[in-house]
Structures are given as C-alpha cells and as structure tokens.
Amino acid sequence: MTDEGGGAPAEQRVAVKTEIVVIGAGQAGLSSAYHLKRRGVAAGRGFVVLDQNPIPGGAWQHRWPSLTLSTVNRIHDLPGLSFAEAVPAAGDDVEAAVAVPRYFAEYESRFGLPVYRPVTVRVVCERGGRFRIETDRETFSARGLINATGTWETPYVPDYPGHELFRGRQLHTHDYRTAAEFAGQHVLIVGGGISAIQLLDEISKVARTSWATRTPPRWREGPFDQEAGRAAVRLVEERVRAGLPPNAVVSVTGLPVNERTEAMRARGVLERQPMFSEITETGVRWPDGRELAVDVILWCTGFRSSLDHLAPLLLREPSGGIAMGGRLATQVVKQPRVHLVGYGPSASTVGANRAGAAAASELMETLGIAPKISA
Ligand SMILES: Cc1cc2nc3c(=O)[nH]c(=O)nc-3n(C[C@H](O)[C@H](O)[C@H](O)COP(=O)(O)OP(=O)(O)OC[C@H]3O[C@@H](n4cnc5c(N)ncnc54)[C@H](O)[C@@H]3O)c2cc1C
C-alpha cells in the first residue's frame, strides 16, 4: 500500500494505492478477505478492508439484546476457524451482539486481516481504470472492489399515507432494543418475517399487540432442509442474474413452526390482520373504514442493500436491479471488477462464506493476479 495522501479536501487528495479494496468487515467481507489472503494477495499492498463500525462484528454488534445464539436462525462458521474454537465458552443464552464480535475479532487477528476502522466509504468513482474510494478518512485507489456492506444501514419502511400524522411512536427493527420500553402500551407490529415473529413474541408478554402483514404468513412445518435452502437461494439467484432487484432469501424460506410459535398461537397473539391502507393521528385505518388505535407502530419490514456509495459507477439496470454474473452471481455484469458479496443469493451467513471465495478468485483472475498458493 503506497500512502501518497495529504491533508487536502477529498477530491484533491492523492490516494492510498492498493490492488483490491473490500468494503465491509461482516461475514461477507471477512470471508472475501480470508480467501484473498489465502491465495497470496498481500495485506496492505494487495488489499485492505474498510469498515465503518468501531469494533469487529459487522452488523451483529447492533442487534437487540434478546437476540441470542439460541434465537438466531444459525450463524455459519467463517472459513478456517469455527465459532466453537474461537469462542469456546459461548452458551446458547449469550447475546449475538456480544458473541459474534468476539468471534470476528479473533478471526481478524488470527489471519492477520488488514481491517481499517472506523472508516466510512462515502463514494466510489472510476477513473482511468482505477476505482477512487473516498472515505471519511483517507482516499483509496484500487483496481478491484469487493463490496460487502450488508443491509443493516438501510432499514426499509414502506410508504403509507398519513405516516407523518401519527402522534404515537414509530420505529423500525433496526432501532428496537427491549420489550420493556413498551410495557402497558398497544403496539402494532408490521411485517411477516422472522424478526416480526420474535418481537411479537416478546412484546406481547408485556404489552397489547396487533399484527399486520401484506400477505398471509407462510408457516413451515418441520426443519428447513438443505435442498429447500438451495431451492430458495436459486430463486433469488435467478432474479439477480436477470438484473432484477433481489428479494430476501428468508422471504422464500417460510416461518418455522416451533414450541415458541405454538405458545404464541395459544396466547392468541398470532391473529394476523391484512395491511391497513393509511396511518391516522391515532393509529391505522383499513380500506373498509375500520380503525385501530395504537401507541406504537413497529415496522419489521426488512432492509435493503446498502449500496448508495456505489451510485457513480452506474451499476443499476432500468429495472432498478443490478445484473449479476460469475460462478455464484457476485460479479457485476456492467463492471466485472466489482463484486457484491452478501447481496441477493449470498445474503446469509452461509451464502456470504461461499460467495467470498468465489469473488476473491474471480476478481483476482479478472485483474490478472496469479494465486501464490493453490486454493
Ligand atoms: C435481525 C437479523 C437476524 C439475522 N439472523 C441471521 C441468522 O441467524 N443467520 C444468517 O445466516 N443470517 C442472518 N441474518 C442475515 C445476516 O445478518 C447476514 O446474512 C450476514 O450476517 C450479513 O453479513 P454481511 O457481511 O453481508 O453484512 P454485515 O454484517 O451487515 O456487515 C457489513 C459491514 O459493512 C460495513 N459498512 C456498511 N456500509 C459501509 C460503508 N459505506 N463504509 C464502510 N463500511 C460499511 C458495516 O459497518 C458492517 O460492519 C440476520 C439479519 C438480521 C437483520
């Protein structure tokens, strides 16, 4: 890495040169970094990882305290070091926001990954065959880019008329901390995903709840087997290969039926309502005029990929999606020196792992960087 920087404004600053910049140090970015290093790309001169969080752990460090190792879906091991080996004492009741940062910190140090933090990438442009990566600190210049910025920074709230009229509290899963703060209130939970179910469960124990979803929830009896998982990922992959915006992998996996959901059903908290059509000062209203007064609207309506900093690269198709190619659909068709990992079919911990390997090897090939050790 050559530091040619100075104290000038970002647009005039001479950039720190490297071959590949990985943006984001969550599961996707760390997996990519591991595979670059393993294939002989030198830390620093060959690649750097930039992450805006203050400590290791990716978005996991921000998850609400009741999301423990037993309530997450499953956190897949990163390549080369298992969770159990890195954090041997973590029991099921440990908060994911505590355990995963410990795991990632050990991982980064064990493999000597060059993660720089906190560094926020503000914008990426292309000039003369190199990417100029402007951050809140140095500016970097690289020939290739692996973007692994996840979704946590981009919570999605659908636009319903009257949004601004509501006098109660509105918040998104992103800002949820604990059920206790809603004690005694009436909370409307919106959304049909796993997060909605978990928050509905815990909030309904201390508050009155209502639940609205766009489509009837799809319950899944029995375990989600590997073949069903692969089929779900294939559907998302087909969409991004066709240049369409991805839907969440979890949206095709369905909601698990388990002891917890059966208890919720018995308590009567799974009575789902269709989506309302507008928000009023005091609650929500359905198209037939029916109204519901609530104190809080909690939007469990998911996240979008955090990609705004890539806007100058004009990667999007007219459909709004980004056409993806390559072995695991991580390579941007319009700009093959850019890979998106943790996007579309790789937006899960297991998907991000595999995609990191594919992105590292394909990007090296595109840039003409020969692997130093066979992988
Ligand atoms: C509540 C919740 C529970 C989940 N549970 C599971 C589960 O049990 N199992 C599972 O497989 N998946 C789960 N997922 C999905 C899962 O989080 C992801 O698939 C995976 O952890 C995401 O890894 P990532 O590396 O893509 O993103 P992240 O972990 O979000 O990491 C992205 C990193 O990029 C950084 N970043 C973002 N923008 C910038 C920028 N402009 N400049 C610099 N850095 C930036 C962020 O600070 C962050 O550190 C869950 C998601 C949510 C929201």
Side-chain angles (χ1 to χ4, degrees):
M1 189 161 58
T2 331
D3 188 352
E4 302 163 355
E11 62 285 1
Q12 294 167 19
R13 234 178 262 158
V14 183
V16 178
K17 269 190 170 178
T18 184
E19 290 285 304
I20 296 170
V21 164
V22 178
I23 311 177
Q27 188 100 9
L30 291 186
S31 166
S32 305
Y34 168 90
H35 286 289
L36 287 172
K37 188 117 195 265
R38 185 160 176 243
R39 286 166 169 76
V41 183
R45 200 163 27 87
F47 79 102
V48 296
V49 184
L50 309 177
D51 188 63
Q52 80 177 22
N53 270 309
I55 60 163
W60 289 101
Q61 65 196 273
H62 303 298
R63 307 280 203 247
W64 54 91
S66 58
L67 194 72
T68 62
L69 294 183
S70 65
T71 51
V72 294
N73 244 353
R74 170 151 193 258
I75 301 170
H76 204 271
D77 286 341
L78 281 161
L81 176 66
S82 73
F83 184 89
E85 188 189 338
V87 199
D92 272 3
D93 55 346
V94 175
E95 291 174 25
V98 172
V100 180
R102 272 194 221 143
Y103 177 33
F104 284 15
E106 172 61 23
Y107 192 83
E108 289 176 13
S109 100
R110 177 87 61 110
F111 295 108
L113 302 178
V115 183
Y116 296 90
R117 63 165 62 83
V119 177
T120 300
V121 173
R122 298 219 189 280
V123 70
V124 180
C125 317
E126 205 218 352
R127 237 189 252 163
R130 295 190 72 91
F131 297 111
R132 193 175 162 85
I133 298 120
E134 289 179 10
T135 78
D136 57 347
R137 297 170 70 165
E138 289 89 351
T139 294
F140 293 79
S141 166
R143 292 200 295 137
L145 195 71
I146 296 181
N147 191 84
T149 45
T151 59
W152 185 254
E153 310 299 334
T154 322
Y156 170 70
V157 175
D159 196 14
Y160 279 89
H163 208 275
E164 68 298 343
L165 297 178
F166 186 58
R167 290 202 301 257
R169 177 173 177 205
Q170 295 189 63
L171 75 163
H172 186 274
T173 327
H174 179 272
D175 302 309
Y176 174 81
R177 299 307 296 162
T178 162
E181 60 186 285
F182 306 108
Q185 299 187 320
H186 185 175
V187 182
L188 172 61
I189 291 169
V190 183
I194 293 171
S195 302
I197 297 294
Q198 196 202 341
L199 302 195
L200 184 56
D201 181 25
E202 51 194 58
I203 295 173
S204 63
K205 289 174 181 157
V206 298
R208 184 175 160 209
T209 51
S210 297
W211 183 34
T213 68
R214 216 155 26 103
T215 51
R218 286 188 312 108
W219 295 100
R220 164 170 53 82
E221 302 277 353
F224 189 65
D225 61 45
Q226 283 194 346
E227 185 39 49
R230 276 194 286 271
V233 169
R234 257 197 314 273
L235 284 177
V236 183
E237 183 172 332
E238 278 165 18
R239 282 183 66 85
V240 299
R241 285 194 187 276
L244 297 169
N247 39 11
V249 173
V250 287
S251 72
V252 270
T253 60
L255 297 168
V257 175
N258 53 32
E259 258 176 47
R260 191 154 56 100
T261 57
E262 286 308 294
M264 291 170 75
R265 197 175 299 287
R267 284 191 287 121
V269 295
L270 289 182
E271 296 300 320
R272 164 259 174 191
Q273 316 221 25
M275 272 313 283
F276 45 84
S277 50
E278 58 186 306
I279 301 173
T280 66
E281 283 187 7
T282 54
V284 295
R285 186 182 294 130
W286 278 267
D288 62 7
R290 188 168 58 89
E291 293 197 20
L292 180 72
V294 295
D295 303 299
V296 179
I297 303 175
L298 173 54
W299 298 94
C300 299
T301 36
F303 296 81
R304 297 287 184 262
S305 298
S306 307
L307 297 175
D308 285 357
H309 54 286
L310 302 182
L313 300 180
L314 304 175
L315 304 180
R316 291 197 186 272
E317 304 293 326
S319 65
I322 299 174
M324 304 301 294
R327 189 161 63 81
L328 293 182
T330 60
Q331 188 170 36
V332 176
V333 171
K334 274 189 176 169
Q335 178 44 279
R337 289 181 293 116
V338 176
H339 282 254
L340 306 182
V341 181
Y343 173 81
S346 62
S348 69
T349 54
V350 62
N353 263 9
R354 295 196 195 113
S361 69
E362 286 175 354
L363 183 56
M364 287 173 68
E365 198 182 322
T366 307
L367 298 178
I369 303 173
K372 294 242 170 65
I373 8 168
S374 59

